Amino acid sequence: MDVFANLALGFATVWKIVWWAPGFLQGAVSLPIPINILLCFVGCLVGTLIGVLPGVGPIATIAMLLPITFGLDPVGALIMLAGIYYGAQYGGSTTAILVNIPGEATSVVTTLDGHQMAKQGRAGVALGVAALGSFFAGSVATIVIAALGAPLTKLALLFGPAEYFSLMVMGLCFAVVLARGSILKAFCMIMLGLLLSTVGTDLETGQERMTFGFPPLADGIDFAVLAMGVFGFAEVLRNLENPETRDVVKTKIGKLLPSLSEIKQCINPVLRGTGVGAILGILPGNGAVLGPFASYTIEKKIAADPSRFGKGAIEGVAGPESANNAGAQTAFIPLLTLGIPPNAVMALMVGAMTIHGIIPGPQVMTKNPDLFWGMIASMWIGNLMLLVINLPLVGLWVKLLQVPYRLMFPAILIFCCIGIYSVNNQPVDVAFTAMFGLFGYILIKLGFEPAPMLLGFVLGRLMEEKLRQALIISRGSFMTFLERPISAGLLLVAVIVLVIALLPAMSKKRDEVFTE
Amino acid sequence: MSLNKIEQARGLRVRSPQDLAAGIFMILLAALALFLARDLPLGTLRQIGPGMLPKSFAVICAGLGVMLALTSLVYKGEQLQGFSWRGVIFVLGGAVLFGLTIRGFDIGPLKVPQLGLVVSGPIVVLVAGSAATDLRWKELIIFAIVMTTFCALLFKYALGLPIPLAPWLLGI
């Protein structure tokens, strides 16, 4: 089986040992360092940390840590960044259960029953079930990625520019539909992202576009500058205005391991949650956020006694948490196979790959098999680590929740500033970031949710390139997008999704889902 | 648009100031983009020019802005909240000061030498930290020193990034 040979390569990559001779010992001793495992561990730890802390999201953190990865090799860098991402999913559930605030947007559902369980003195069990369910889901999702990776990459090779363009249109349509808040506003954000992506030198003619004649803009708006301004600085401004009250559960956390009967109760919800989450996660346009909601709804529908939900039903924690983690993992599939990021965090991963000279897409698997399979293998190991980190360290996380925001945000700022400066060693970038911080703050004030903008921004350049190629091939005929069957199919899906979302009945339901 | 019930429309009036402002904001941005891109040739469909996509995106943005502004007359929505300038000035000001001092700058009569992280780090922490409403100076000063030391060790030594520490004092 190819899959096993590939996974073996992946695990070999993860176990890479680097001999490190500390400079201050003048090379007298050299120590073996399992560098990738270490980075995976650091990523998971940082991810859990930011997942636990409300007000610091994975988008800002990954943007902040991008410069740190410059000195690393690409495999290690991406392993660490991936660890931050799924670590944050684990950490988010801890905050949801203990403090009743979702540390992460996707752990909103967990607050419903998880916090109730905590109030009843079963916080430990809730945390345990969440961690075990997430671990199971993460493991399954890793296998799904490994199994689907190769065939999807082959499929991607059939894609021409027209198909790519249509696929991205579909992805953006999904992103509009699945964004929080108003559809019209999400649409605005996507288009604004696309518009911003056209700033800079035109690739074909070399003409400068919308740069104000300002040389630093000639290469376009730096991705890290935009991400850190809108998600780092603007988030700080938003949080400073809305101080949160954190009522950490005072009752004992209790035993962590669920009893046998509780495990039995959870097996089916975990299985269903994993399935639902994994499938939704593959969808382009952030399908992963739907996973926990879908899973919760399913569990409530098929439960013998639905009234228990919202009052500390263990299934209401196990199912959504599994769905959440499965979706978070399978969201890597579109990125790794097609090179199309499904959400803002994955858009950052594209940025990270590009900085390291890797062009995301089907060729990653053939050109950098160690990166592809190493990342997949690291995900499983990372999930195992998270299980180990999360449960025994719960006490520490609770302590961290008491760090006041007045100290947290200056720390975020100094990290952001150093990070931004290090991207190009350009002080002017820091000022630019501050400008985008103000821009992001205005967007927030106007009720826009900026995440889709980042996705549009990242996809923008690729879309323009593919559109131009497709139209050159078709000699200027837009019909090419409809004549080619795969492309037409993708566009059809995009239209159907938009139409369904705009139907009055559906948009009402959508509001319910996203405000629950 | 979401979450809002259609009021019994009796004449047009602003029912969602936030959406109206958002719509106008989109239109202004689109106008700026169209202005900046005015000289870029559109090209033809067969050979798309550099101006085609920026202009099309700008037109779509403007269209969406108009739609937003119109819906704000029909659907009831959020009020426009005021800005808290304290945060904007201190937080963003701190960042700008960091950018100005880390490698020095030279704008007209103003000249600042290359101060490096040893100075810029505490500046950003102290200035930004003043944005907090529950500010405690002593705590913040200690925190600024600790964070700067930590960042210097992490970025300069552990990660080897070429960030100036204090060229005027230490020569690095």
Side-chain angles (χ1 to χ4, degrees):
Chain A
M1 281 284 280
D2 263 1
V3 174
F4 291 109
N6 288 329
L7 278 178
L9 169 70
F11 279 105
T13 312
V14 174
W15 277 111
K16 192 175 90 169
I17 304 276
V18 173
W19 289 89
W20 180 58
F24 53 86
L25 295 175
Q26 264 102 44
V29 196
S30 67
L31 302 165
I33 308 276
I35 181 79
N36 288 339
I37 290 276
L38 208 65
L39 287 170
C40 183
F41 180 74
V42 170
C44 290
L45 204 62
V46 172
T48 315
L49 180 69
I50 57 145
V52 168
L53 294 172
V56 197
I59 301 178
T61 314
I62 294 181
M64 246 172 351
L65 295 185
L66 271 184
I68 295 190
T69 66
F70 287 172
L72 306 170
D73 74 334
V75 181
L78 285 165
I79 283 177
M80 185 173 98
L81 294 175
I84 294 175
Y85 169 61
Y86 52 75
Q89 313 292 330
Y90 270 79
S93 55
T94 308
T95 319
I97 290 167
L98 293 179
V99 200
N100 203 19
I101 351 180
E104 256 341 286
T106 39
S107 44
V108 177
V109 187
T110 313
T111 56
L112 299 176
D113 278 287
H115 191 62
Q116 289 303 321
M117 283 181 75
K119 276 189 175 162
Q120 295 159 9
R122 291 161 72 208
V125 175
L127 288 168
V129 161
L132 289 169
S134 296
F135 173 67
F136 175 78
S139 307
V140 171
T142 306
I143 297 170
V144 172
I145 299 176
L148 281 184
L152 269 179
T153 309
K154 287 208 182 80
L155 179 74
L157 293 175
L158 298 175
F159 275 33
E163 281 80 12
Y164 263 109
F165 180 78
S166 304
L167 181 68
M168 284 184 266
V169 170
M170 182 179 88
L172 291 180
C173 285
F174 270 99
V176 166
V177 173
L178 297 179
R180 285 144 58 104
S182 141
I183 288 190
L184 189 54
K185 282 186 165 173
F187 205 173
C188 285
M189 283 296 95
I190 297 259
M191 290 314 297
L192 205 53
L194 291 174
L195 184 61
L196 287 175
S197 78
T198 61
V199 174
T201 310
D202 178 41
L203 281 179
E204 275 176 34
T205 61
Q207 249 179 310
E208 285 196 2
R209 304 195 290 191
M210 304 189 280
T211 58
F212 295 92
F214 190 49
L217 271 178
D219 286 337
I221 296 167
D222 197 291
F223 172 75
V225 168
L226 180 71
M228 252 190 260
V230 173
F231 292 97
F233 290 4
E235 277 298 317
V236 167
L237 294 174
R238 186 209 300 236
N239 289 329
L240 275 175
E241 254 172 59
N242 315 316
E244 280 162 338
T245 45
R246 299 180 192 165
D247 54 338
V248 182
V249 166
K250 295 284 184 324
T251 53
K252 271 205 320 229
I253 286 173
K255 66 182 177 70
L256 288 167
L257 286 182
S259 68
L260 206 61
S261 68
E262 281 166 328
I263 289 178
K264 259 188 203 146
Q265 231 178 331
C266 287
I267 287 178
N268 284 328
V270 166
L271 287 175
R272 282 188 291 262
T274 306
V276 169
I279 293 167
L280 286 172
I282 303 175
L283 288 183
N286 214 3
V289 294
L290 279 187
F293 296 105
S295 165
Y296 193 78
T297 318
I298 292 173
E299 293 312 323
K300 205 171 167 179
K301 277 251 163 70
I302 61 175
D305 178 16
S307 67
R308 285 193 310 119
F309 281 79
K311 291 176 192 150
I314 197 164
E315 299 97 315
V317 176
E321 274 302 309
S322 315
N324 180 12
N325 221 45
Q329 301 273 93
T330 52
F332 277 97
I333 291 179
L335 174 74
L336 289 175
T337 56
L338 304 171
I340 308 251
N343 57 38
V345 179
M346 291 298 145
L348 276 160
M349 299 297 259
V350 171
M353 286 172 132
T354 336
I355 285 174
H356 285 281
I358 294 165
I359 301 150
Q363 65 276 20
V364 170
M365 198 161 153
T366 44
K367 277 194 198 150
N368 313 73
D370 57 330
L371 175 98
F372 187 93
W373 296 106
M375 246 178 112
I376 289 173
S378 82
M379 287 178 199
W380 187 77
I381 293 180
N383 273 296
L384 188 64
M385 280 182 187
L386 283 165
L387 192 64
V388 179
I389 298 175
N390 241 4
L391 290 183
L393 291 184
V394 163
L396 179 68
W397 301 136
V398 174
K399 284 242 164 57
L400 268 174
L401 279 171
Q402 285 148 359
V403 173
Y405 197 69
R406 65 169 185 274
L407 291 184
M408 239 160 70
F409 79 86
I412 295 175
L413 268 160
I414 189 171
F415 268 113
C416 275
C417 286
I418 297 177
I420 277 294
Y421 169 77
S422 311
V423 176
N424 301 316
N425 288 324
Q426 278 298 336
V428 70
D429 280 352
V430 184
F432 258 142
T433 313
M435 213 186 69
F436 274 111
L438 183 62
F439 182 69
Y441 182 63
I442 295 174
L443 290 180
I444 291 168
K445 280 283 165 194
L446 293 175
F448 289 112
E449 194 62 48
M453 183 173 78
L454 199 61
L455 190 61
F457 180 77
V458 168
L459 288 182
R461 283 177 209 181
L462 201 55
M463 268 177 96
E464 175 166 19
E465 188 191 321
K466 298 292 177 196
L467 177 69
R468 283 179 164 186
Q469 287 172 357
L471 285 178
I472 288 172
I473 295 170
S474 74
R475 300 180 189 191
S477 159
F478 266 112
M479 288 309 288
T480 179
F481 297 108
L482 300 178
E483 279 159 2
R484 302 175 66 106
I486 299 178
S487 162
L490 292 168
L491 287 178
L492 186 69
V493 173
V495 172
I496 292 173
V497 168
L498 275 185
V499 168
I500 291 177
L502 289 172
L503 289 179
M506 265 318 276
S507 60
K508 213 175 129 207
K509 213 168 214 157
R510 182 174 164 280
D511 286 344
E512 279 166 19
V513 166
F514 284 100
T515 47
E516 203 167 337
Chain B
M1 193 165 95
S2 58
L3 298 178
N4 309 320
K5 294 186 180 97
I6 302 175
E7 278 187 10
Q8 289 300 316
R10 282 206 197 100
L12 289 176
R13 60 183 181 83
V14 180
R15 293 189 164 81
S16 170
Q18 192 191 52
D19 282 1
L20 181 66
I24 294 170
F25 181 72
M26 288 299 292
I27 296 169
L28 287 178
L29 279 180
L32 176 68
L34 281 174
F35 172 73
L36 289 172
R38 66 193 182 282
D39 291 334
L40 296 173
L42 278 175
T44 59
L45 276 183
R46 193 177 282 219
Q47 184 68 54
I48 288 186
M52 174 85 80
L53 273 132
K55 284 181 186 170
S56 335
F57 288 150
V59 169
I60 298 175
C61 280
L64 289 170
V66 171
M67 277 168 71
L68 253 182
L70 289 180
T71 52
S72 77
L73 304 174
V74 181
Y75 297 96
K76 201 177 166 192
E78 304 249 335
Q79 287 297 318
L80 203 58
Q81 297 158 342
F83 273 49
S84 80
W85 289 107
R86 185 192 171 98
V88 174
I89 290 166
F90 284 112
V91 171
L92 301 183
V96 171
L97 282 177
F98 179 92
L100 290 176
T101 52
I102 185 83
R103 274 217 337 227
F105 71 102
D106 205 348
I107 310 171
L110 271 175
K111 277 200 178 85
V112 173
Q114 196 171 0
L115 292 175
L117 186 63
V118 169
V119 177
S120 307
I123 287 181
V124 64
V125 174
L126 292 175
V127 174
S130 333
T133 41
D134 49 351
L135 174 65
R136 290 178 201 173
W137 275 111
K138 225 190 250 169
E139 181 190 73
L140 191 64
I141 291 169
I142 297 170
F143 190 68
I145 297 168
V146 172
M147 273 313 288
T148 306
T149 317
F150 173 72
C151 284
L153 292 176
L154 175 68
F155 289 98
K156 182 85 184 175
Y157 293 104
L159 295 163
L161 295 180
I163 190 159
L165 279 188
W168 48 279
L169 183 69
L170 309 167
I172 43 170

